[in-house]
Amino acid sequence: MSTTLKQQLEEQQQYYNERATQYDDWWHFSGSFDQGEQVKTEALKNREGFYNFFSKITENSGTEKLNVLECASGTGNFTKLFLNEKYKLHCEEGSLQMIDVLKSKFEKEIKEMGDNFSINQTDLFSEKFNPAPNSYDIVFMGFLISHIPPSLFNEFFSKCATALKPNGRLVFIDSYYHKSYKLKVHESGKNNIKLDENLKDDDYIIKRKLLDGKEFNIYKICFTAESIMNTLTDVGLLMQNNDSVIINSTYIFGSYSKPGSSN
């Protein structure tokens, strides 16, 4: 990894460290992140589409707990899906501040999970992120893929694919590419750059700002169905039973699976 790329990833991480206590207001369209009832209603409705998809692909898991790796768990807005008796959950998150918020929000649920919950502070784009091979039924990432520089796609997603058990699924939700886009309160420039093989990592850098006006450069990529499918098939993942890629007016989400044993 080049020094410039490493420094840019460190700046991106610092942004999320400092955004941690504001993040849930953004997620819930509250406080300074209120964008009006129409935007909020549309986004919440579209999230239901993901939750319904998630329920469908996990409904027939049998009696054994599903072993889950969540990458970039943030403040836990998707982590909550796994905090029940159906799962054994391990989270890898880059920000200690985000981890603190998550633990505070779900203190009761985490205590009830006991040894079936764990979380580590880890640089997901370094050698420190090295999940055990063939260990997870699900590798989940919510709004992580769009912040990965394309030059790191192969290395990162190969680790995730290796971590899956045969027939395990990589499940994701992220930003969908829209031809028309309106800036939001935490943005100070274009946030609608479509993945393109002709672009370099730096072409995906945008500015994000905190409520105090402090600005950071981060990576942000918006995906089409084709681009996310190509990204995951490039590391050997396939579309199998109930896998799909779904788009609505806000999000792109879906799952891809690791091929099962040929024996």
Side-chain angles (χ1 to χ4, degrees), residues 27-29 37 39-49 51 250-251:
W27 181 248
H28 295 293
F29 301 95
E37 199 60 32
V39 171
K40 179 178 180 179
T41 299
E42 180 179 12
L44 294 180
K45 181 180 179 181
N46 286 338
R47 287 178 195 173
E48 285 300 316
Y51 297 139
T250 313
Y251 308 115

Side-chain angles (χ1 to χ4, degrees), residues 33-218:
F33 299 95
D34 186 351
Q35 300 174 49
E37 199 60 32
Q38 182 178 350
V39 171
K40 179 178 180 179
T41 299
E42 180 179 12
L44 294 180
K45 181 180 179 181
N46 286 338
R47 287 178 195 173
E48 285 300 316
F50 169 75
Y51 297 139
N52 291 337
F53 168 79
F54 177 82
S55 296
K56 180 180 179 181
I57 63 172
T58 58
E59 63 185 354
N60 296 316
S61 59
T63 57
E64 289 191 16
K65 292 183 182 295
L66 293 174
N67 205 10
V68 177
L69 170 63
E70 183 179 11
C71 299
S73 47
T75 62
N77 291 308
F78 293 105
T79 307
K80 63 183 179 183
L81 296 173
F82 305 107
L83 294 177
N84 59 69
E85 69 281 353
K86 190 173 181 177
Y87 302 100
K88 181 174 183 179
L89 173 64
H90 177 65
C91 301
E92 298 277 1
E93 164 58 46
S95 169
L96 288 173
Q97 291 86 341
M98 290 277 190
I99 291 173
D100 287 343
V101 175
L102 186 156
K103 287 182 174 180
S104 177
K105 284 167 60 177
F106 299 110
E107 181 178 3
K108 177 176 179 291
E109 291 85 349
I110 289 172
K111 183 176 181 180
E112 291 173 351
M113 291 285 284
D115 293 340
N116 290 312
F117 174 83
S118 58
I119 188 167
N120 288 338
Q121 190 272 329
T122 307
D123 180 353
L124 294 170
F125 308 124
S126 74
E127 69 280 355
K128 294 179 181 179
F129 177 63
N130 191 29
N134 301 310
S135 297
Y136 296 98
D137 300 288
I138 296 172
V139 173
F140 178 79
M141 47 196 75
F143 295 92
L144 168 63
I145 300 176
S146 58
H147 298 299
I148 303 174
S151 66
L152 301 183
F153 276 4
N154 188 266
E155 179 182 2
F156 176 78
F157 288 114
S158 292
K159 288 181 180 181
C160 294
T162 300
L164 287 168
K165 297 177 182 178
N167 297 312
R169 300 180 195 269
L170 187 150
V171 182
F172 65 90
I173 179 171
D174 220 296
S175 301
Y176 171 57
Y177 171 74
H178 289 274
K179 292 182 178 179
S180 59
Y181 187 84
K182 294 181 179 179
L183 289 179
K184 299 178 176 63
V185 67
H186 62 301
E187 298 165 354
S188 58
K190 188 176 181 181
N191 182 28
N192 191 36
I193 307 170
K194 181 171 65 172
L195 183 63
D196 186 328
E197 64 181 9
N198 296 313
L199 298 181
K200 299 178 180 179
D201 286 347
D202 287 354
D203 293 322
Y204 299 101
I205 292 176
I206 66 163
K207 288 191 179 293
R208 285 277 177 89
K209 60 181 177 181
L210 302 177
L211 294 180
D212 63 5
K214 189 175 181 179
E215 291 190 339
F216 294 84
N217 290 321
I218 71 165

